[in-house]
Amino acid sequence: MRSRSETIRLVEEQAYRLRRRVLEMGLEAGPHGAHFGSAYSMAEAISAVFFGVLRSDPAHPDDPGRDRFILSKGHGSVAYYITLAEAGFLPEGLLHTFETKDSLLPGHPCMHRDMGLEYSTGSLGHGLSLGVGVALHAKRTGRDYQTYVLVGDGECNEGSVWEAAMAARQFGLDNLTVIVDRNRLQSDGLCRKVMDMDDMAAKWRAFGWEATDVDGHDAGALLDSLHERSRPAGKPRAVIAHTVKGKGVSFFENNNDWHHRSITPEQVAAAMAELEQAHGKEGA
Ligand SMILES: Cc1ncc(C[n+]2csc(CCOP(=O)(O)OP(=O)(O)O)c2C)c(N)n1
């Protein structure tokens, strides 16, 4: 078993690899582009789930006892595909087909359970309801698997998210965790201007959930908040991951032009250089 510090290092390394590979896949996708900003803000969160807490085995992707992950902000698919490949669920070669015609890896995830793609998502506001059903199934069949749902903060403008939140509390789903990618931007601009969610943790608490605010780029803080022992009995759990959209590349950060777009080889080179410098791998 890995120590806490080894797991933190692994999550940080995976988030770094993820950001690099998003650039490569975004470039390869040509005019189809990719959701750079959306994928970068969730890099540590999805890495913490897959490399820190999720109990699932790529050799047995249909094991009924496996933990479930639902990417409710399905437009972050590029980060999901890379993570699944890194974790051994999805064949590496398939990453080159991202966004091509008839690919198994389109802009929004399509269910393909043998590759770890548990559910089809992308129509925002539905992933948490799905998660409630999946977590309720565990309760009713006596299984002890956990369900993790990653949502966007803009996505939380959808009323269906809060219906699901009420249901989760009603059913006492202490096997359900929602992670909110709180990057304060959505495709139409600042969340505060579109529909202000104000103090998100307070909102989840008002709906009967346990809620924690964490730095969504701090692997250790994320792991601590996701860890089993921090879970209160009878309550679903919300982790508000405070993030920066486009985190890690100066011209992506807080720049909504990079919510979704295509990228040039020059921009990829500049972004790679920044990532490598920050990661201490210049010239590697
Ligand atoms: C039901 C629905 N409405 C609109 C969209 C279009 N859409 C795609 S991404 C996005 C913004 C999402 O913002 P947020 O959840 O904050 O995600 P992030 O900023 O992390 O990309 C929207 C409105 C959609 N996918 N689904």
Side-chain angles (χ1 to χ4, degrees), residues 38 41 73 75 122-124 152-155 158 181 183 185-187 245 259:
S38 313
S41 65
K73 50 169 273 189
H75 58 284
S123 181
L124 296 171
D153 53 357
E155 179 180 7
E158 298 273 4
D181 183 352
N183 60 29
L185 281 166
Q186 52 184 283
S187 45
K245 197 156 176 172
H259 171 80

Side-chain angles (χ1 to χ4, degrees), residues 204-272:
W204 290 95
R205 280 186 203 115
F207 278 75
W209 288 50
E210 178 74 13
T212 334
D213 287 291
V214 297
D215 176 344
H217 299 302
D218 180 334
L222 279 167
L223 287 166
D224 289 345
S225 67
L226 292 170
H227 202 273
E228 207 58 32
R229 64 174 176 264
S230 63
R231 157 146 309 205
K235 278 187 173 189
R237 174 177 56 188
V239 174
I240 316 302
H242 293 269
T243 59
V244 173
K245 197 156 176 172
K247 172 74 177 179
V249 169
S250 58
F251 54 95
F252 288 177
E253 286 190 5
N254 288 318
N255 180 354
N256 226 18
D257 290 347
W258 288 94
H259 171 80
H260 179 273
R261 68 186 277 174
S262 55
I263 194 163
T264 66
E266 295 73 26
Q267 288 165 330
V268 168
M272 283 287 189

Side-chain angles (χ1 to χ4, degrees), residues 11-261:
V11 169
E12 288 170 349
E13 180 66 22
Q14 288 300 144
Y16 167 67
R17 290 173 62 84
L18 187 159
R19 290 192 171 95
R20 291 182 59 101
R21 299 190 85 169
V22 169
L23 293 173
E24 292 161 359
M25 285 172 64
L27 183 62
E28 210 173 339
H32 298 294
H35 283 89
F36 294 97
S38 313
Y40 271 43
S41 65
M42 60 182 267
E44 281 80 12
I46 194 168
S47 300
V49 170
F50 273 85
F51 297 97
V53 293
L54 201 77
R55 295 166 306 172
S56 65
D57 178 358
H60 303 285
D62 54 357
D63 177 354
R66 71 195 183 285
D67 287 350
R68 314 300 207 264
F69 172 76
I70 299 169
L71 180 65
S72 191
K73 50 169 273 189
H75 58 284
S77 63
V78 67
Y80 187 25
Y81 299 149
I82 292 166
T83 304
L84 286 174
E86 292 276 345
F89 286 92
L90 191 147
E92 286 281 329
L94 218 53
L95 294 181
H96 297 288
T97 70
F98 174 58
E99 281 278 34
T100 58
K101 190 170 181 300
D102 297 330
S103 169
L104 294 175
L105 308 185
H108 297 83
C110 285
M111 183 171 153
H112 218 289
R113 203 155 275 166
D114 59 341
M115 299 193 306
L117 289 161
E118 295 267 10
Y119 308 101
S120 301
T121 53
S123 181
L124 296 171
H126 299 295
L128 189 57
S129 299
L130 178 56
V132 167
V134 173
L136 189 57
H137 177 263
K139 290 273 180 200
R140 296 208 167 155
T141 55
R143 296 200 169 101
D144 76 345
Y145 66 77
Q146 298 290 316
T147 301
Y148 300 90
V149 183
L150 179 52
V151 302
D153 53 357
E155 179 180 7
C156 290
N157 288 168
E158 298 273 4
S160 51
V161 172
W162 302 102
E163 292 179 41
M166 285 188 284
R169 176 62 177 122
Q170 179 71 22
F171 296 128
L173 298 181
D174 52 11
N175 54 355
L176 175 68
T177 299
V178 69
I179 305 166
V180 182
D181 183 352
R182 184 66 165 127
N183 60 29
R184 298 182 179 272
L185 281 166
Q186 52 184 283
S187 45
D188 293 320
L190 285 167
C191 290
R192 164 169 63 78
K193 294 207 169 153
V194 178
M195 183 73 76
D196 196 356
M197 301 304 288
D198 201 19
D199 183 345
M200 294 271 300
K203 282 197 168 49
W204 290 95
R205 280 186 203 115
F207 278 75
W209 288 50
E210 178 74 13
T212 334
D213 287 291
V214 297
D215 176 344
H217 299 302
D218 180 334
L222 279 167
L223 287 166
D224 289 345
S225 67
L226 292 170
H227 202 273
E228 207 58 32
R229 64 174 176 264
S230 63
R231 157 146 309 205
K235 278 187 173 189
R237 174 177 56 188
V239 174
I240 316 302
H242 293 269
T243 59
V244 173
K245 197 156 176 172
K247 172 74 177 179
V249 169
S250 58
F251 54 95
F252 288 177
E253 286 190 5
N254 288 318
N255 180 354
N256 226 18
D257 290 347
W258 288 94
H259 171 80
H260 179 273
R261 68 186 277 174

